[in-house]
Amino acid sequence: MIILKIIGIPIFVYGVVLLVTPFFDLDLGGQISITIPVTLMTYYEFLYARPRREG
């Protein structure tokens, strides 16, 4: 399951960036500069962040 997250997260993030590209007129450099930090933040959220305790 972890392999699916590692492979799927960048594909999903890049897909979202491609959907947003026409609105902000991004070139390839702009797409990459958005994709890399968002992917790293998403990795942190899914792989390293601890779940919050309710109570």
Side-chain angles (χ1 to χ4, degrees):
M1 192 66 177
I2 191 89
I3 300 298
L4 183 63
K5 288 181 183 178
I6 290 173
I7 295 171
I9 288 173
I11 293 171
F12 175 76
V13 170
Y14 190 64
V16 171
V17 168
L18 288 178
L19 289 174
V20 179
T21 296
F23 298 112
F24 297 104
D25 193 30
L26 297 172
D27 57 350
L28 183 61
Q31 293 173 0
I32 292 172
S33 67
I34 291 174
T35 303
I36 292 174
V38 172
T39 301
L40 293 175
M41 289 186 292
T42 308
Y43 277 152
Y44 175 77
E45 184 68 28
F46 277 102
L47 301 176
Y48 299 111
R50 296 180 181 164
R52 295 181 181 155
R53 295 184 192 177
E54 294 182 15

